[in-house]
């Protein structure tokens, strides 16, 4: 026979009072007949606690003397943010301390757009005064006390300008306006111009995967793709309403999201841009700005209805809505580089900082708390289709004006569907089936 010497300790003989007493459990389901009911109750409590502790608003950045027109988070530095306002002022912020690092009187009129270079070393801005300024970011930080710092380069455009976007790979940037212009650091004039139609382009964005591909939205309700190599536009889609903004998915760069004046966001696949692949609904007014997270799984949108919403990239409705009592029209939104925070700039001269997950704790979290959080998330995922838990998880408090408008739109939708059913019943031979909603939003596709 083989003898084994073992050490057996009881709970009272532990080395310290901080030690956790080991509990032995039998995994046999017959021994635990109430396990499912116990897990359901824990999931219900976890869902309620999440709603109780949901505090998404973290703080505001004050300092602008006019409405905030554009913001851009640095891709290289998590703590830096640049913003432009209607009075031509540009501010660079330190997010942890919530103070202004640099204040620049960059333009004589409204700042239309700001953009960081891929490495975070350059900042480019465009304004209504037809000027484009290029700044050296490290040099600005060294001379933060000087308000009247001269840019590295100043470019003058012949026509009006829209937003500006920096190339992901090259030392080039593109500007919207009467024509789409591509600029190089070393050239005082644009190296390339694109024009299709007579109306101006309101927004342009470079593809994060292909440095030669640019997408733009124009004032004649079109979405246009430009190819720098061919020096021409390649596709054009005319929608029923004007589009204000767009964003590329950084992980799946074949997909773009368009913010439209009909209060919806549209996801397009550039390989088949004739029809949108997804319609994202929930806003009640025009969408003014959209921005993707670095993970590519979610995007945030800011609207004229004074709210910002966070959408999963593959879902038609938002999972979160944020609003403030004093927050006005949201002109620009941006994700932080770590996809943990959202920044919004509005007409009330404030930049607000929000959490992506409203109930997530900010700060140091020990291992036990992390395990407990993961356990609660697993329970909520397991019972997410339960009617009671689903109702609590989906509920969002909305201001009265939003609720009234939402109710009115629902009544209009029901009335339209009722009218279609009556037409089908009373005129069976003359009735034409309505087109799918994705086809109704597109007016014309031009190859």
């Amino acid at each position: 026979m083989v003898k084994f010497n073992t050490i057996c300790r009881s709970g009272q003989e532990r080395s310290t009072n901080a030690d956790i007493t080991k509990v032995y459990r039998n995994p046999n389901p017959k021994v635990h007949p109430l396990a499912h009911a116990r897990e359901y109750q824990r999931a219900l409590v976890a869902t309620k606690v999440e709603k109780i502790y949901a505090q998404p608003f973290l703080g505001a950045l004050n300092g602008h003397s006019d409405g905030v027109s554009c913001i851009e988070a640095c891709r290289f530095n998590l703590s830096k943010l640049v913003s432009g306002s209607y009075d031509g002022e540009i501010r660079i912020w330190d997010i942890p301390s919530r103070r202004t690092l640099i204040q620049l009187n960059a333009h004589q009129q409204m700042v239309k757009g700001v953009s960081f270079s891929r490495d975070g070393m350059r900042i480019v801005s465009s304004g209504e005064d037809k000027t484009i300024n290029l700044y050296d970011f490290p040099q600005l930080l060294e001379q933060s006390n000087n308000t009247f710092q001269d840019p590295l380069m100043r470019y003058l455009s012949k026509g009006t300008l829209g937003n500006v976007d920096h190339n992901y790979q090259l030392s080039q940037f593109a500007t919207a306006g009467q024509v789409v212009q591509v600029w190089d650091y070393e050239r005082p004039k644009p190296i390339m111009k694109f024009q299709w139609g007579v109306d101006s382009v309101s927004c342009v964005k470079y593809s994060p995967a292909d440095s030669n591909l640019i997408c733009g939205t124009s004032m004649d309700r079109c979405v246009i793709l430009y190819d720098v190599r061919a020096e021409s536009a390649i596709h054009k889609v005319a929608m029923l309403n004007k589009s204000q903004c767009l964003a590329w998915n950084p992980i799946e760069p074949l997909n773009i999201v368009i913010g439209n004046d009909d209060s919806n966001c549209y996801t397009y696949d550039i390989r088949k841009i004739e029809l949108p692949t997804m319609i994202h609904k929930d806003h009640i007014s025009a969408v003014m700005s959209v921005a993707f997270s670095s993970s590519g799984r979610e995007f945030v949108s800011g609207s004229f209805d004074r709210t910002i919403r966070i959408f999963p990239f593959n879902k038609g409705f938002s999972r979160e809505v944020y609003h403030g009592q004093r927050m006005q029209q949201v002109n620009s939104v941006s994700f932080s580089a770590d996809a943990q925070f959202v920044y919004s700039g509005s007409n009330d001269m404030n930049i607000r900082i929000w959490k992506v997950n409203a109930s997530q704790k900010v700060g140091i979290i020990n291992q036990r708390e992390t395990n407990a959080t993961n356990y609660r998330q697993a329970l909520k995922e397991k019972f997410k289709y339960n009617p009671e838990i689903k109702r609590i998880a989906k509920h969002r408090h909305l201001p009265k004006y939003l609720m009234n408008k939402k109710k009115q739109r629902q009544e209009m939708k029901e009335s339209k569907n009722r009218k279609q059913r009556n037409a089908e019943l009373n005129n069976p031979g003359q009735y034409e089936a309505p087109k799918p909603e994705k086809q109704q939003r597109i007016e014309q596709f031009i190859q």
Side-chain angles (χ1 to χ4, degrees):
M1 293 181 62
V2 180
K3 293 181 65 177
F4 294 95
N5 296 323
T6 60
I7 300 175
C8 183
R9 292 179 177 176
S10 63
Q12 293 78 14
E13 296 178 355
R14 305 298 288 183
S15 58
T16 63
N17 294 330
D19 283 345
I20 303 172
T21 304
K22 186 175 181 181
V23 179
Y24 295 92
R25 301 186 185 277
N26 190 341
N28 187 359
K30 295 182 179 180
V31 184
H32 307 282
L34 301 178
H36 189 273
R38 189 183 301 112
E39 286 185 348
Y40 165 75
Q41 188 64 27
R42 288 175 179 173
L44 182 63
V45 171
T47 306
K48 292 181 178 179
V49 169
E50 182 185 29
K51 304 298 292 184
I52 292 173
Y53 288 100
Q55 296 178 345
F57 180 67
L58 292 177
L61 306 177
N62 306 314
H64 280 293
S65 56
D66 208 339
V68 179
S69 59
C70 52
I71 59 175
E72 177 81 12
C74 182
R75 304 178 183 128
F76 187 73
N77 194 328
L78 292 176
S79 63
K80 299 301 182 290
L81 177 76
V82 62
S83 63
S85 63
Y86 284 98
D87 58 359
E89 182 186 60
I90 290 178
R91 285 176 179 254
I92 298 177
W93 304 85
D94 182 66
I95 301 299
S97 61
R98 300 179 192 175
R99 64 184 180 88
T100 302
L101 292 178
I102 303 163
Q103 179 182 351
L104 300 171
N105 296 324
H107 298 275
Q108 297 178 358
Q109 297 180 27
M110 170 185 171
V111 180
K112 299 291 288 186
V114 290
S115 181
F116 273 100
S117 62
R118 180 65 174 174
D119 56 1
M121 302 298 288
R122 298 287 186 269
I123 299 175
V124 61
S125 67
S126 62
E128 270 191 351
D129 55 358
K130 302 181 182 180
T131 60
I132 306 165
N133 293 334
L134 179 67
Y135 294 95
D136 185 273
F137 187 46
Q139 183 180 350
L140 289 177
L141 296 179
E142 293 176 0
Q143 304 174 3
S144 57
N145 296 327
N146 186 5
T147 306
F148 300 96
Q149 295 191 40
D150 292 329
L152 284 178
M153 289 288 293
R154 179 175 280 117
Y155 310 90
L156 183 61
S157 174
K158 293 182 179 180
T160 58
L161 293 173
N163 82 314
V164 61
D165 189 55
H166 200 284
N167 196 302
Y168 279 77
Q169 301 175 12
L170 307 175
S171 58
Q172 297 176 359
F173 55 89
T175 57
Q178 291 180 343
V179 293
V180 176
Q181 303 176 96
V182 178
W183 304 75
D184 191 88
Y185 284 178
E186 308 300 330
R187 301 289 184 89
K189 296 183 179 180
I191 61 175
M192 205 169 296
K193 293 183 179 180
F194 302 99
Q195 189 172 9
W196 191 347
V198 295
D199 280 326
S200 60
V201 177
S202 58
C203 179
V204 292
K205 293 286 184 181
Y206 269 104
S207 170
D210 189 350
S211 60
N212 298 304
L213 197 61
I214 303 174
C215 185
T217 58
S218 62
M219 302 297 289
D220 59 354
R221 302 173 288 118
C222 292
V223 179
I224 310 173
L225 279 176
Y226 302 95
D227 192 345
V228 175
R229 291 163 296 191
E231 299 185 6
S232 65
I234 53 178
H235 292 302
K236 185 177 181 180
V237 178
M239 303 184 68
L240 293 179
N241 298 87
K242 183 180 65 175
S243 298
Q244 296 277 5
C245 52
L246 65 97
W248 291 83
N249 190 325
I251 303 301
E252 299 176 359
L254 296 172
N255 297 326
I256 54 175
V257 170
I258 308 293
N260 200 268
D261 275 356
D262 63 358
S263 75
N264 296 332
C265 296
Y266 299 89
T267 297
Y268 284 92
D269 190 331
I270 63 173
R271 296 170 297 183
K272 191 178 181 182
I273 203 171
E274 297 88 356
L275 291 176
T277 58
M278 180 71 67
I279 301 178
H280 308 274
K281 304 178 180 180
D282 263 346
H283 284 295
I284 63 171
S285 292
V287 180
M288 306 300 294
S289 179
V290 291
F292 259 101
S293 67
S294 57
S295 63
R297 311 301 296 177
E298 292 180 334
F299 68 91
V300 61
S301 62
S303 173
F304 198 86
D305 61 10
R306 298 181 285 175
T307 63
I308 64 173
R309 291 182 179 269
I310 300 176
F311 291 86
F313 79 104
N314 56 354
K315 297 293 179 61
F317 296 94
S318 62
R319 71 162 181 86
E320 200 64 80
V321 54
Y322 297 150
H323 56 86
Q325 188 174 5
R326 299 177 182 86
M327 188 164 69
Q328 299 301 314
Q329 166 192 336
V330 181
N331 295 320
S332 184
V333 292
S334 180
F335 260 98
S336 62
D338 59 352
Q340 296 297 316
F341 304 99
V342 168
Y343 310 117
S344 65
S346 53
N347 269 357
D348 56 0
M349 303 178 289
N350 283 332
I351 300 171
R352 291 174 172 84
I353 307 173
W354 311 85
K355 290 189 289 187
V356 173
N357 297 315
S359 59
Q360 182 179 0
K361 181 180 177 181
V362 177
I364 300 175
I365 303 176
N366 58 31
Q367 188 60 40
R368 289 187 63 188
E369 191 170 0
T370 302
N371 295 338
T373 302
N374 295 338
Y375 177 65
R376 289 193 295 267
Q377 291 293 339
L379 288 179
K380 288 187 289 184
E381 183 68 20
K382 180 178 180 180
F383 291 94
K384 64 179 180 180
Y385 296 112
N386 182 276
E388 183 69 11
I389 293 178
K390 185 178 180 180
R391 181 187 65 83
I392 297 173
K394 288 182 63 177
H395 176 74
R396 296 293 184 273
H397 173 74
L398 294 176
K400 189 175 181 180
Y401 74 93
L402 279 179
M403 291 297 296
N404 292 339
K405 189 67 175 179
K406 191 176 180 181
K407 183 179 178 181
Q408 180 184 359
R409 294 185 66 174
Q410 182 64 24
E411 291 176 353
M412 294 170 59
K413 181 180 178 180
E414 292 176 356
S415 176
K416 182 180 179 180
N417 294 336
R418 186 167 57 250
K419 183 177 180 179
Q420 291 179 355
R421 288 196 302 269
N422 293 338
E424 184 179 3
L425 292 173
N426 298 324
N427 304 297
Q430 303 176 1
Y431 175 74
E432 294 183 3
K435 295 181 180 179
E437 187 174 7
K438 294 179 181 179
Q439 295 183 10
Q440 295 177 12
R441 305 296 182 179
I442 301 300
E443 185 178 54
Q444 185 182 10
F445 171 70
I446 304 174
Q447 184 72 27

